[in-house]
Amino acid sequence: MTAATVTAPERSGVGRLDRRSWKVPIAFGLVTLAALVLFVILGRDRIVSFNLSTGTDLIQLPLLAFPALAGGIVVTVVLAVVTAFAVFRVWERRPVPLWVIVIGTVVAIVGFLAWAGAGATLQVPGLLTGTLFLATPLVYGALAGVIGERGGVVNIAIEAQLLGGAFTSAVVASLTQQPFVGLAAAGLAGMLVAFLLAAFAIKYFVEQVIVGVVINVLVSGLTGFLYSQVLTENRQLLNSPVRFDRIDIPLLSQIPVIGPTLFRQTILVYLMYVIVAVVAFALYRTKWGLRLRAVGEHPKAADTVGINVARTRFWNVALAGVIAGFGGAFFTLGSNGAFNKDMTNGAGFIALAAVIFGGWDPVRATLAALLFGFASNLQNALSVIGSPVPSEFMLMLPYVVTIAAVAGLVGRSRAPAADGVPYIKS
Amino acid sequence: MSSPTPTLNPDAPLPGEDDGERANRWNDLLRRIATGNALVSVLAVLLAIVVGGVLIAVTDEGVQTAAGYFFARPGDTFAAIWKAVSGAYVALFQGSIIDFRQSDPLRALKPITQTLLFASPLIAAGLGVAIAFRVGLFNIGGRGQILVGAGFAGYASFAWDLPPVIHVIVALALGIAGGALWGGIAGFLKARTGAHEVIVTIMLNYVAYYLLSFLLRTPLLQNPGSNNPKTPPALPSAQLPAILPEPFKLHVGFILVIAATVFAWWLIERSSLGFKFRAVGLNPHAARTAGINVDRMYLYVMLFAGGFAGLAAANEVLGTTTTGFTSGVDAGIGFDAITVALLGRSTPWGTFAAGLLFGAFKSGGFAMQASQGIPIDIVLVVQSMIVLFIAAPPLVRSIFRLPQPGRPRRRAKSEPKAVAS
C-alpha cells in the first residue's frame, strides 16, 4: 500500500520524530487488555465458523471453524506482539507504520467477531460486501472533506452535498434514463452546494461552520420540499432512475474472499478506487497538492509566493463538491434507486468523522470510512446471529471513536493550520 | 420591493435647531439605520420569504399549467402565481397569528398561542446556542443535549411518585441537569484537551441519539407491556400546568422560557461571570492575560448552554407531549436553535424574538401543509435562507444597494457645502 510513503511529509529528514508520541502504543495496550478480559477470561468456549466463499466462486474455500476461546488467545497474543512492536518503534523515535496499525485493527476485529459470533456461522464475504456498500458514500464524502480542509475550508456541508447529489442524480437519471448523465448531474449538484459554501466562506468571510450547518438545513428543506411537492406526484417520470449495473471484473473477481467484495461492484465503486488513488498521490506529489496544502497551512506565505489563495480555495472546494456529489449518487444510482426524503441520514457527519479520525489524510480517511462502514454493517450482521452487544452501541462506535480521536486519546489529530480561518488579504 | 434609501431628507423642521446640524444628524440616524443590523435582519426575512414564494410558485401545478400557454394569455400565469403564493402565506398567517375565518374570537386567537407553544423550546435551546456563541464556542450539540435532558426529565416524570408541585420542579431540574451534563462533556473536553467543540458536539448528538434509543428498549425508559420504543406518559403531578383554559394548549413552559431569557440576559450582560464569558469570546488571549481562567469558562458556558437545551427538553416532555416520547423527541429543535441564535445575533432578547418568528413559521407551516398541501419543508428553506442572508450582511446590502459600513461616505463631502450655502 502506498500509505506508508504517503505520510512521509510528517517525518523529519532522517525518519526520526522529534518527540515521542505514546498514543498508538497506549491505544493498542488498551485493546490488548480488553481482548485479554473479553476473549480469554470471559471467553465463550464454543465453535465459531467463518464462511469465506460465496456460492458462485470458482475456488471454494473450506468452512473455517475453530473454538472461539483458542482464537481469542491467539488474537490476544498477536495484539500483545503488535503493542510491543509499537512500543519499540516509539522508543526508537520512529512512527508506528500504518500497516502495523491496520494489521492490529484487523486482528482485533477478527477476535471480536469470533467472540461475538461464537456458536454461529459468519458469512465473511457478505460482511465485507456490506461494509463496502455502506462505506462507499462515506469514502466519497471523506475525500471531499479532506480536500476542503487541506485547503483551509471546513466543510460541515458534506451531508448537504451528498443529499443534493442523491436528489439530482435520481431526477436526472429518471428523466434521461441514463445513469451516467445522472452521475454527472450529481457532481454538478455537489458543486453548486460547494459554490454556496465557498461564496459565503471565502467571499463574505462568514464563519464556515455556520454556513455549513445552515446549508445542511437548506438542502434538506429544499430536497424534502421538492420531493413531497413534485417527485411523489410524478414518481414514474421523475423518481424511478436507472441504476448502474454490477460489473464483474474477470479474473480479479475470482480471488477468494476479497474478489467478490472488491471486484463485483458498480462503476461507482471502481470510480471511488480511482479517485482515492489519484487524490492520495496528487495531494503530496503534484503542484496542485502542494498549492492546496500551502493555502491550508499558511495562506499568507502562499500569497507571498504568488498563489491566489481565494481562487485556489474556491475551486478546490468546488472540486470537493463534485466528489461528494458522486458519493450522493451512490445512494440512488448505486443502491436504492429512488430518492427518499433525508435518505443520507447523517452519512455526511460520519464522513466528517472519518476525515478527522483519518488525520486529514486521504488514505487514512478512506480506511476510517471503511472502519465506520464496517461498524455499521456489523450491527446488521450481529443482530441476525444474536450478539451480546446491543446494536445501538455498534452504531455509536464511529462517533465515540471520533470524540476519542479529537480529544487526543487515540492517535494525533492536528488539523491544517489555517483550517476554517478565512484569509483576508490586507 | 421598496427599499428605504439613506438619502431621504425629512421635511418637517424641528424648532430650535440649526438647519445644517439637523440635516447632518438625520443623515447620521438614517445612515445608522441603513447600515445597522436590524434593517439587514428585516430585509433578510423579506428576501427569504420572496425566495420561498418563488419556490412555491414554480412547483405549483396551477402555475405550471398556466405557464404552458404563457404567451397566449400571460395574465393567467400571474393570476395563478398570485393565487398559489398568497394562498400559502395567508395560510401561514392564519396558522400562526390570527385565524380571521373563525367566528369565535377565542378560536380565532388560538394560532398565536400555538406560535408561543412552538416558540418556547426554540427560544430555550436557542439561548443555549447563543450564550455559547458569546464565548466563541459553536454549540451544534443542541440535539444531543435535548435528547439527554428529555431522558432525564422523562424518567423523573413517570418513574418517581412525588407530591404535585415538588414533582414538576424535580423533573424540570433533572432535565436541565441532563442537558447540562451533555453540554458539559463537550466543555470539559474543550477545556482539558482542546478538542474542537464543533466536532465533539456533532458526535455527541449521535451518541445521545443511540444511547436514548438503547434505553428506550430497556425497562429503564420503555413503557412496560409495550414493544414500542416509547416511554410511559408523564404522571399528572409532573406535568407543567396550562395557563389558559381548554381550547388553548399553552402551558407554564412559556413563562419559564421568559424567565430563562431574563436570566440569560442577566448572566451575560450583568453578572461578573458573564463579563468573563464576553471577555473570552472577544479575545481569549487577552482574557487569559487579564487573569481569567479561559478553560474554566469553556466548561461553565457549556454547562449553562446544555442547561438551556435541557429546559427546552423538559418543556417538551413535561408540557407539550406528555403522552410519552420516542428518540425523535428533539424534532429538529436542536438544529433550529442554531438558526434561532444566529438570527437573534446571540443576544438573549434577540434570540427570544427570533424564536417567536420561527415558532410562528412552525405553527403556520403545519397549517399551510394542512390547508394548501404545501410541504412543511418550505419552512426549513425560508429559515435557512434568512440565516444565510443575515450571516452575510454585505450580500443583503448589495442586493438592496444599501451603503456598506466602513466605506467612505459619498455624501460626506457634499454636506459642508450644503451647510455653507
Side-chain angles (χ1 to χ4, degrees), chain B residues 73-156:
Chain B
R73 282 169 66 188
D76 277 17
T77 307
F78 293 117
I81 290 175
W82 173 250
K83 187 165 163 281
V85 177
S86 67
Y89 284 132
V90 166
L92 189 77
F93 181 80
Q94 284 172 345
S96 59
I97 315 285
I98 296 172
D99 190 353
F100 42 76
R101 292 168 309 177
Q102 295 281 352
S103 51
D104 180 6
L106 271 182
R107 291 211 163 272
L109 283 174
K110 194 182 172 196
I112 195 156
T113 65
Q114 287 298 104
T115 291
L116 301 183
L117 188 71
F118 280 113
S120 307
L122 291 176
I123 295 167
L127 288 173
V129 179
I131 64 163
F133 271 140
R134 295 299 284 271
V135 188
L137 296 185
F138 297 103
N139 175 19
I140 316 284
R143 183 174 175 223
Q145 291 149 17
I146 288 174
L147 290 174
V148 174
F152 273 56
Y155 181 74

Side-chain angles (χ1 to χ4, degrees), chain B residues 162 237 413:
Chain B
L162 296 170
S237 58
K413 276 180 189 166

Side-chain angles (χ1 to χ4, degrees), chain B residues 16-39:
Chain B
E17 263 189 295
D18 179 74
D19 209 42
E21 190 186 316
R22 197 195 70 239
N24 211 355
R25 192 180 295 168
W26 269 103
N27 266 327
D28 265 2
L29 181 68
L30 283 167
R31 194 179 167 76
R32 224 174 295 141
I33 293 171
T35 54
N37 292 330
L39 183 69

Side-chain angles (χ1 to χ4, degrees), chain B residues 333-419:
Chain B
I333 295 166
F335 272 99
D336 286 347
I338 301 167
T339 43
V340 166
L342 289 172
L343 179 59
R345 297 190 175 276
S346 306
T347 63
W349 290 108
T351 305
F352 188 84
L356 288 181
L357 179 70
F358 281 17
F361 276 139
K362 221 170 185 176
S363 169
F366 284 114
M368 193 166 73
Q369 188 168 24
S371 70
Q372 304 286 311
I374 293 167
I376 189 148
D377 306 79
I378 190 77
V379 168
L380 285 183
V381 177
V382 172
Q383 282 178 0
S384 49
M385 296 297 282
I386 291 176
V387 178
L388 273 186
F389 288 133
I390 292 220
L395 180 67
V396 176
R397 292 210 172 92
S398 62
I399 291 174
F400 289 102
R401 302 185 184 284
L402 299 182
Q404 306 278 351
R407 290 270 174 83
R409 290 170 52 174
R410 247 179 302 150
R411 288 182 60 84
K413 276 180 189 166
S414 63
E415 261 163 21
K417 277 183 205 161
V419 171

Side-chain angles (χ1 to χ4, degrees), chain A residues 200 204 206-207 210 214 218 221-222 225-226 228-229 233 341 346 349 353 356 390 392 395-396 399 403 406-407, chain B residues 55 59 61 138 189 193 195 199 202-204 206 210-211 214 217 342 373 375 377 381 384-385 387-388 391-392 395:
Chain A
F200 279 92
Y204 293 113
V206 183
E207 178 57 52
I210 292 175
V214 174
L218 177 67
L222 206 57
F225 174 77
L226 292 174
S228 310
Q229 182 84 334
E233 285 167 23
K341 208 163 150 173
F349 292 111
I356 293 153
E392 284 87 358
L395 291 169
M396 212 188 277
Y399 309 109
I403 293 174
V406 290
Chain B
L55 257 182
T59 55
E61 278 195 351
F138 297 103
L189 289 176
T193 68
I199 308 300
I202 288 176
M203 300 305 148
L204 281 175
Y206 287 96
Y210 289 118
L211 203 60
F214 168 69
R217 291 198 297 121
L342 289 172
D377 306 79
V381 177
S384 49
M385 296 297 282
V387 178
L388 273 186
L395 180 67

